[in-house]
Amino acid sequence: MSRTGTDSEQLHALSGAYALNALDPGERDAFERHLERCALCTQDVREFSATAARLGSAVALPAPPGMRRTVLARIDGVRQQPPARRSIVALRRRALPLALAACLAGALTLGGAALREHEQAQRTAIALQDLTAVLSAPDARTVTTRPGSGMTGKVVVSASRDRAAFVSSGLPAAPAGRTYQLWFADGSVMRQAGLVRADGATVLTGPVGPATAVGLTLEPSGGSEQPTGPPLMLLALGL
């Protein structure tokens, strides 16, 4: 894997990919040796791993209440094919799609709640895929700021993928009627880049493009067209 910069800079940039188990064996060995003496990378790996675990667990939603009961109650009503001129193997092959169809029928009877949970799981899975793509990019770079009060903000940016992710730790809950909002700073012009609900990782909306920095502000609920106050964090990308 080809990288630019000094060996130390290259190793620092591997934190996200290491947390996602996306390094080849040689890179992994080199990074683990570096990790033994680098407190900053140790913290990065801890935060990236925790975020990936939260996203992964959100995808694994439990079956909605009542699904088993509904499926069992309806299974007797599923029409079976006659056994004439069918081998045992063919019947076994037929049984699997029938069982799946019965499960699907049961799931559909559960209504909008199950559908909303499924859609949320899909959105979470896509978010995890986007985050993985940024953190494991060969040219991923991490910029960190600590503005005080226990807060930490990181931006992982990949020029090759033209995407960036924001990772926060210690971010206080937004006051009622307010929300955190991310921005790309294209020079003096601020471009909307998504909302932040809580601590964790967020892939910024849209391409990095000409952005020179990423900012975080506190805005009215739902976000603003332009920042209404000074940034709580401003991380220069140095691209």
Side-chain angles (χ1 to χ4, degrees):
M1 186 180 294
S2 175
R3 298 178 186 270
T4 59
T6 67
D7 289 344
S8 178
E9 289 171 340
Q10 293 173 19
L11 289 169
H12 282 305
L14 296 179
S15 298
Y18 178 82
L20 295 169
N21 197 28
L23 298 179
D24 61 41
E27 286 179 320
R28 186 176 187 86
D29 290 345
F31 183 77
E32 286 179 343
R33 289 194 296 272
H34 168 76
L35 201 60
E36 292 175 355
R37 59 181 184 275
C38 181
L40 179 60
C41 286
T42 300
Q43 180 67 19
D44 283 347
V45 169
R46 185 180 301 115
E47 292 174 356
F48 289 144
S49 298
T51 296
R54 285 197 295 271
L55 286 170
S57 64
V59 176
L61 292 173
M67 174 177 283
R68 180 178 183 276
R69 183 175 60 254
T70 302
V71 170
L72 291 177
R74 289 175 176 267
I75 193 67
D76 289 337
V78 177
R79 184 174 180 270
Q80 298 183 11
Q81 295 294 324
R85 290 189 298 276
R86 290 180 181 271
S87 68
I88 294 176
V89 172
L91 287 174
R92 286 175 177 171
R93 288 176 178 171
R94 181 65 180 172
L96 179 58
L98 282 174
L100 292 175
C103 291
L104 178 60
L108 291 176
T109 64
L110 296 175
L115 179 60
R116 285 193 296 273
E117 287 185 352
H118 177 67
E119 291 174 343
Q120 178 60 45
Q122 287 185 317
R123 287 194 294 270
T124 304
I126 292 171
L128 181 56
Q129 291 171 359
D130 290 345
L131 178 64
T132 301
V134 175
L135 297 186
S136 62
D139 61 342
R141 298 175 58 254
T142 303
V143 181
T144 303
T145 185
R146 291 180 172 82
S149 302
M151 289 191 297
T152 299
K154 294 181 175 68
V155 170
V156 182
V157 59
S158 167
S160 64
R161 300 187 185 279
D162 202 20
R163 300 298 302 275
F166 175 77
V167 184
S168 64
S169 177
L171 196 66
R178 308 280 283 177
T179 189
Y180 293 105
Q181 188 165 358
L182 291 163
W183 307 87
F184 283 119
D186 299 335
S188 60
V189 178
M190 302 298 281
R191 174 165 44 102
Q192 297 178 55
L195 304 179
V196 176
R197 306 296 182 185
D199 265 347
T202 302
V203 177
L204 277 71
T205 303
V208 176
T212 57
V214 168
L216 179 74
T217 62
L218 189 60
E219 302 295 333
S221 182
S224 303
E225 293 293 327
Q226 287 293 310
T228 59
L232 304 175
M233 299 183 188
L234 189 63
L235 297 95
L237 299 181
L239 298 177

